Amino acid sequence: MYEKDLYACEGEINEQLARYGVKFGIYKNNTFREQLFPFDVIPRIITKKEFQMLEAGLIQRVDALNLYLKDIYGEKQIIRDGVVPEDFVYTSSGYLAQCEGICPPQGVYSHISGIDLVKGKDGTWYILEDNLRVPSGASYPMIARELCRRCSPATYQKNHLEDNRNYAKLLKETMDGVSAGGIHVILTPGRYNAAYFEHSYLAEQTGAKLVNGSELKVSGDCLYYEDYSGRKEKVGAVYRRISDEYLDPLNFNPESLIGIPHIFDVYRKGNVALLNAPGNGAADDKGIYYFVPKMIRYYLDQEPILQNAPTYLPFYEKDRQFVLEHFDRLVLKDVAEAGGYGVVFAERMTAEEKERFLALLERAPRRFIAQEVIDFEDLDIMEQGVPVPRKADLRAFVLSGKETKVWKSGLTRFSRNPDSFIVNSSQGGGFKDTWVLSQ
């Protein structure tokens, strides 16, 4: 299906990626470290029929999550009807009281959603996680595909696959659809952010200006970009790549040096669009994940097309008893952690570690979810010229503006450790291109 010369180019492609700065930065123990994000040349291949099913399920899921965010910051009907417990909503670390009563343009909160899936060995796709705050990763398969095309054009001439170069167009359309009038900017915290390469690449591809907080100013009730000469332009949409708490020091964390004073006030008045909306963490909390199938039934009156991994909430007594009785076969996740951190496989714990963890679970049941360990499929990667199987997931990108669309590509991440299920780049994983066949 793909030419041998594509295999031969893997080293050259990774060298080019390094020259372009396709790296992933990690903050740990107050130290910033950059590392290459290794690319494997064997693509993940998804058939047209399979992707159509994924597409329908992803649109359904993201539409329900957007309706949930609109509801909990507005009428709160899902709480009154007892579908999601009130305590569960307001104790989420991602819930922001400052967002109460704010409905962004088109009622869209999550404009760019990164939905993580795995495919079980039985062929069933499972949703592992919803990322609705500042999901990253689309730029990596974009640039890798471009380099692969240059290296082996025959591969792409002979195979019928969807062109993934339209992501920038989809992103621009999304920004256009919610803009309050003015230019588009991509707000980055700067060179030492973990995904700075992506910020600069997407700005280049979409024609948006790449800016930092010092280049944006609030004047009156509007937001302006001010260049080095002092010339100002009104900003209509900000694709912000900084977390909620650092966005506006006058409304959130007062110690933030990378945010823009009063930008949240401009947003509240509807004079600028923020992509993604502040407060989205209330819907991608790993505990809230448990309720997404219920949201789909509640808001859309539909059965979920895509399944959650079998999940238990120790918050509920019945689920807590199940977790205690079947502890050794479960994976436990801290709802406040991300990037593969806070994930514990019970079977790998020592007796002492189990005792400590179970005591913590009794004290803070809202802090954790428990899931069945899915035996998800292995994908081959090249290791010293030989294909070897490794665990891999898929981050699908769903863009919501005037309508909801799924990018016909995605970021396939894999573990380089043969004994690990954790594929995150921050944990040393690599990535592949994702081929969606067009016929």
Side-chain angles (χ1 to χ4, degrees):
M1 181 163 280
Y2 30 90
E3 300 296 303
K4 289 184 178 179
D5 60 349
L6 188 57
Y7 284 145
C9 287
E10 184 175 73
E12 180 185 339
I13 291 169
N14 273 289
E15 286 178 12
Q16 288 295 319
L17 290 170
R19 289 181 186 178
Y20 280 118
V22 183
K23 299 179 181 180
F24 194 90
I26 301 171
Y27 279 109
K28 193 171 183 182
N29 300 324
N30 297 317
T31 301
F32 177 79
R33 178 172 57 84
E34 256 188 341
Q35 63 186 40
L36 294 175
F37 196 8
F39 174 68
D40 181 74
V41 77
I42 305 175
R44 159 174 252 153
I45 299 173
I46 301 175
T47 66
K48 180 178 181 178
K49 183 178 179 181
E50 188 170 35
F51 189 81
Q52 286 173 337
M53 180 275 295
L54 290 174
E55 184 176 41
L58 290 164
I59 290 172
Q60 179 193 63
R61 190 174 182 96
V62 170
D63 283 349
L65 286 163
N66 267 307
L67 288 168
Y68 172 74
L69 284 162
K70 185 178 181 181
D71 191 7
I72 64 163
Y73 286 120
E75 297 297 322
K76 301 172 177 48
Q77 195 64 45
I78 199 168
I79 299 172
R80 287 202 292 273
D81 288 342
V83 179
V84 180
E86 182 175 17
D87 288 350
F88 223 82
V89 174
Y90 298 124
T91 57
S92 169
S93 61
Y95 167 77
L96 292 180
Q98 297 95 321
C99 295
E100 282 290 333
I102 299 176
C103 184
Q106 313 292 332
V108 178
Y109 288 76
S110 186
H111 308 85
I112 301 96
S113 306
I115 310 298
D116 295 344
L117 310 93
V118 294
K119 186 177 183 180
K121 288 185 175 177
D122 62 356
T124 303
W125 285 89
Y126 296 92
I127 303 283
L128 280 190
E129 194 169 290
D130 305 295
N131 298 281
L132 312 180
R133 294 180 234 195
V134 193
S136 62
S139 63
Y140 302 117
M142 287 170 70
I143 191 168
R145 175 82 63 88
E146 181 60 34
L147 293 173
C148 287
R149 281 181 177 277
R150 294 182 203 170
C151 175
S152 180
T155 295
Y156 299 89
Q157 291 164 359
K158 291 181 179 181
N159 292 288
H160 300 283
L161 61 151
E162 297 287 351
D163 192 338
N164 78 345
R165 289 174 289 188
N166 68 334
Y167 184 82
K169 179 175 178 286
L170 292 173
L171 181 54
K172 185 178 184 303
E173 286 176 354
T174 300
M175 297 175 79
D176 286 341
V178 298
S179 175
I183 66 169
H184 298 166
V185 301
I186 295 179
L187 173 61
T188 177
R191 170 69 184 81
Y192 292 104
N193 180 262
Y196 181 74
F197 162 76
E198 176 152 290
H199 307 169
S200 57
Y201 186 73
L202 291 179
E204 176 188 331
Q205 294 294 309
T206 61
K209 292 188 182 297
L210 182 67
V211 303
N212 59 49
S214 66
E215 295 172 296
L216 297 180
K217 304 283 193 303
V218 169
S219 180
D221 290 332
C222 294
L223 180 70
Y224 294 90
Y225 163 70
E226 184 176 319
D227 68 15
Y228 67 93
S229 68
R231 185 172 64 93
K232 292 183 179 180
E233 293 180 86
K234 184 177 180 294
V235 176
V238 179
Y239 181 19
R240 49 100 181 196
R241 304 305 300 261
I242 66 177
S243 302
D244 289 349
E245 62 268 33
Y246 299 111
L247 183 61
D248 183 341
L250 298 182
N251 281 278
F252 302 111
N253 186 340
E255 296 181 359
S256 172
L257 300 177
I258 57 176
I260 302 98
H262 293 298
I263 190 175
F264 188 74
D265 301 314
V266 177
Y267 165 71
R268 185 189 289 117
K269 292 172 182 175
N271 294 338
V272 71
L274 297 179
L275 296 83
N276 283 339
N280 278 10
D284 73 4
D285 178 313
K286 287 184 178 67
I288 292 295
Y289 162 95
Y290 175 90
F291 297 98
V292 179
K294 297 176 187 287
M295 294 177 199
I296 292 170
R297 297 184 185 101
Y298 180 79
Y299 292 119
L300 304 179
D301 194 25
Q302 298 171 2
E303 281 302 307
I305 296 168
L306 293 169
Q307 299 183 36
N308 276 10
T311 303
Y312 308 93
L313 280 187
F315 177 83
Y316 291 123
E317 178 61 30
K318 182 180 177 182
D319 281 16
R320 187 158 67 252
Q321 286 305 313
F322 181 92
V323 171
L324 294 175
E325 291 168 12
H326 303 88
F327 188 71
D328 286 349
R329 79 180 206 206
L330 301 173
V331 56
L332 292 303
K333 296 181 179 180
D334 190 321
V335 301
E337 294 282 1
Y341 296 103
V343 177
V344 179
F345 289 84
E347 66 178 4
R348 299 177 187 173
M349 291 183 182
T350 65
E352 185 179 342
E353 287 170 338
K354 286 180 186 178
E355 185 178 349
R356 285 201 305 267
F357 190 91
L358 289 170
L360 178 59
L361 194 65
E362 289 287 347
R363 292 197 306 272
R366 170 64 175 86
R367 181 176 165 181
F368 300 96
I369 63 170
Q371 292 181 324
E372 303 276 357
V373 179
I374 297 172
D375 188 12
F376 53 98
E377 70 173 359
D378 298 297
L379 296 180
D380 279 347
I381 70 167
M382 295 297 287
E383 194 169 271
Q384 297 180 341
V386 178
V388 294
R390 294 289 183 268
K391 298 299 181 188
D393 77 350
L394 171 67
R395 172 164 292 182
F397 291 89
V398 185
L399 293 97
S400 305
K402 290 185 176 178
E403 58 182 304
T404 306
K405 297 180 180 181
V406 181
W407 183 37
K408 293 181 179 178
S409 184
L411 175 66
T412 293
R413 301 174 296 182
F414 62 86
S415 171
R416 289 190 289 169
N417 180 346
D419 300 317
S420 176
F421 282 70
I422 298 176
V423 301
N424 302 70
S425 50
S426 56
Q427 301 288 306
F431 78 102
K432 293 174 168 287
D433 193 4
T434 304
W435 285 13
V436 177
L437 301 184
S438 59
Q439 53 179 260

